[in-house]
Amino acid sequence: MTSTTITGNERLRAAMVAANVTIEGLADHLGIDPKSVDRWLNTDRTPHARNAEAAAKFLRADAYHLWPRLGERHRAAPTAQDEVVACYPMRSTVPYGLWRSTLAGATTVIDLAVSNLLFLADAVWDLPTLLADKASAGVRVRLVTPKDPAGPVTGLDDVFPSLLTVPGLRLSTHPGLRADVLCADDDLLVTTPIDGLTPALAPVLHLRRLGPAPMTGGYLATLDHLFATATPVRPVPHLRAVAA
């Protein structure tokens, strides 16, 4: 009896069919050559952990189900370096569309800890609409800003007044907020403050959570702590004139 050798990845093929994603579409989303995706499908090739996790997220599947040998090749516990997607020397060098596309790709969680709302208003021009759409689709959306923002026009009611009335958003303030952390599912964009530098000149890390999250875990824990100790923001009711 001759055994059959399976060289194709039927789990990946089924996930792509279910998500209606082509080889070219998946390659374009990951920013890689379509030939690489073709090799994943038609040979026993296992991608690098970063690409595997990104592809699985895009297909709404589990990376270790699609590639069972992923843990053997890349260790069951990724290192902190594995979670670093990119590092930018300052905010202006971050690809402009990355801020919005990261939020737009979220399907479960959006957490924003923002010390500079004016920057966010410029980076994500339709933020109120985007967050409202995500919240209505079932995404958990939380936003925390400084309790006493510096400058005359940097408060939430000044920069994003319409957010105060969007249902499903958890809005809060915190007195100890310094860094800017944008979290969308497993992706984080973190501005790392440096004493003596303005936030615009501080480095920015693009991180992607893998496994036990050796690098991103600290930021995720910080976000949970911020929201647990923050003060909820409640819209101030408008007074209506009452006829005597």
Side-chain angles (χ1 to χ4, degrees), residues 56-224:
K57 177 184 176 182
F58 186 57
L59 299 173
R60 299 189 179 185
D62 180 77
Y64 291 89
H65 171 76
L66 299 180
W67 295 283
R69 288 193 290 179
L70 186 63
E72 300 174 11
R73 176 176 174 180
H74 299 288
R75 299 177 301 278
T79 66
Q81 291 84 352
D82 291 332
E83 295 188 292
V84 179
V85 178
C87 180
Y88 304 97
M90 63 186 67
R91 187 180 289 161
S92 62
T93 61
V94 179
Y96 185 75
L98 183 61
W99 304 98
R100 189 186 187 284
S101 64
T102 301
L103 292 177
T107 59
T108 56
V109 171
I110 290 178
D111 281 338
L112 298 172
V114 185
S115 63
N116 189 330
L117 284 167
L118 291 177
F119 145 70
L120 190 62
D122 180 61
V124 187
W125 58 272
D126 63 339
L127 184 73
T129 301
L130 192 155
L131 294 186
D133 290 345
K134 289 297 180 180
S136 66
V139 176
R140 188 197 71 187
V141 181
R142 302 187 296 183
L143 170 64
V144 61
T145 61
K147 182 176 181 180
D148 298 307
V153 189
T154 52
L156 187 62
D157 53 348
D158 293 315
V159 183
F160 296 115
S162 63
L163 283 179
L164 295 173
T165 58
V166 173
L169 268 67
R170 177 177 174 181
L171 307 176
S172 53
T173 61
H174 198 286
L177 183 61
R178 289 188 63 223
D180 293 315
V181 180
L182 183 156
C183 174
D185 293 345
D186 293 327
D187 281 87
L188 288 82
L189 294 173
V190 181
T191 302
T192 56
I194 298 177
D195 290 337
L197 284 182
T198 63
L201 298 178
V204 177
L205 297 175
H206 181 188
L207 308 175
R208 180 168 295 135
R209 182 178 63 180
L210 295 175
M215 179 76 169
T216 61
Y219 290 108
L220 296 172
T222 296
L223 285 170
D224 285 337

Side-chain angles (χ1 to χ4, degrees), residues 8-46:
N9 189 331
E10 294 305 317
R11 293 183 178 184
L12 175 60
R13 193 183 310 279
M16 290 175 65
V17 170
N20 195 27
V21 173
T22 64
I23 290 176
E24 292 75 15
L26 182 56
D28 182 66
H29 177 77
L30 299 176
I32 61 176
D33 193 310
K35 292 180 180 178
S36 296
V37 178
D38 185 76
R39 283 192 289 268
W40 301 346
L41 274 174
N42 298 308
T43 71
D44 203 21
R45 184 73 59 90
T46 298

